[in-house]
Amino acid sequence: MAGSKTLTIIKPGAVTNEYIGPILARINEAGFHIAAMRLLRLNLTQAKNFYAVHKEKPFYESLISFMTSGPVVVAILEKKDAVKEYRKLIGHTDPNKAQPGTIRRMFAESMERNAVHGSDSDANAEIECDFFFSKSERFSNFDPVHF
Ligand code: IDP
Ligand code: MG
């Protein structure tokens, strides 16, 4: 269903700090359904492809190095208006500017090490979900045939 899903990554740092559980709790409390999930370590090619849009930015090399530094959790989250609702839940890219109670405000270490990724548009959510998950790995609440 269009507009109902987003991709999140619990980034290295948050995983290392044992924040997987607390972050998933916030996600569930906010009414998101976890439709797919995996723990993995991004290789260099995957990280560069995922963040290709930022390749001219001064922080790109450092971001790639950080994102490949350890395991991450990737997940597809479902809710009405998922992209917008999840961006609201995670807060501003810079944790110092994120509202109290947001995931980044609670769990980020810095602008780069900001705990989680969230897709920024429905089109990118589609691309990013396809980047990590095949159809058979998804268990959508909007497609209850899986249950
Ligand atoms: P977003 O994750 O809030 O969508 P983007 O601008 O798409 O923010 O940036 C992607 C990621 O790159 C951020 O989540 C953060 O990890 C990192 N990043 C963005 N801007 C900076 C910066 O100015 N310094 C260091 N890292 C940054
Ligand atoms: Mg972004």
Side-chain angles (χ1 to χ4, degrees), residues 20-37:
I20 295 174
I23 289 172
L24 292 179
R26 299 284 300 121
I27 287 169
N28 278 146
E29 283 158 14
F32 289 88
H33 164 71
I34 297 169
M37 188 160 68

Side-chain angles (χ1 to χ4, degrees), residues 51 53-54 87 93 104 117-120 124 128:
Y51 282 114
V53 62
H54 294 302
R87 298 282 308 191
T93 309
R104 282 170 165 171
H117 167 82
S119 307
D120 65 4
N124 283 335
E128 292 175 2

Side-chain angles (χ1 to χ4, degrees), residues 109-125:
E109 299 161 280
S110 68
M111 178 102 155
E112 179 176 85
R113 303 171 67 90
N114 61 357
V116 289
H117 167 82
S119 307
D120 65 4
S121 67
D122 287 345
N124 283 335

Side-chain angles (χ1 to χ4, degrees), residues 94-147:
D94 179 349
N96 293 317
K97 295 181 184 159
Q99 294 295 314
T102 59
I103 289 176
R104 282 170 165 171
R105 180 67 171 261
M106 292 171 79
F107 302 111
E109 299 161 280
S110 68
M111 178 102 155
E112 179 176 85
R113 303 171 67 90
N114 61 357
V116 289
H117 167 82
S119 307
D120 65 4
S121 67
D122 287 345
N124 283 335
E126 289 288 343
I127 293 167
E128 292 175 2
C129 291
D130 289 347
F131 190 89
F132 290 109
F133 297 103
S134 67
K135 300 293 179 209
S136 67
E137 292 173 304
R138 302 179 191 195
F139 301 90
S140 170
N141 261 355
F142 298 107
D143 181 18
V145 71
H146 287 298
F147 300 101

Side-chain angles (χ1 to χ4, degrees), residues 1-8 31-36 75-86 119 121-123 125-126 129 138-143:
M1 189 186 284
S4 64
K5 66 176 175 296
T6 190
L7 184 97
T8 191
F32 289 88
H33 164 71
I34 297 169
I76 298 176
L77 308 179
E78 283 188 342
K79 189 182 181 177
K80 187 170 177 293
D81 294 327
V83 166
K84 195 180 74 190
E85 290 296 308
Y86 191 59
S119 307
S121 67
D122 287 345
E126 289 288 343
C129 291
R138 302 179 191 195
F139 301 90
S140 170
N141 261 355
F142 298 107
D143 181 18

Side-chain angles (χ1 to χ4, degrees), residues 47-104:
K48 285 182 171 178
N49 283 342
F50 190 84
Y51 282 114
V53 62
H54 294 302
K55 65 176 180 295
E56 309 302 338
K57 304 269 176 66
F59 58 81
Y60 180 68
E61 291 300 328
S62 174
L63 177 63
I64 297 308
S65 161
F66 165 55
M67 289 301 293
T68 55
S69 67
V72 299
V73 173
V74 295
I76 298 176
L77 308 179
E78 283 188 342
K79 189 182 181 177
K80 187 170 177 293
D81 294 327
V83 166
K84 195 180 74 190
E85 290 296 308
Y86 191 59
R87 298 282 308 191
K88 216 190 301 171
L89 180 66
I90 68 180
H92 196 281
T93 309
D94 179 349
N96 293 317
K97 295 181 184 159
Q99 294 295 314
T102 59
I103 289 176
R104 282 170 165 171

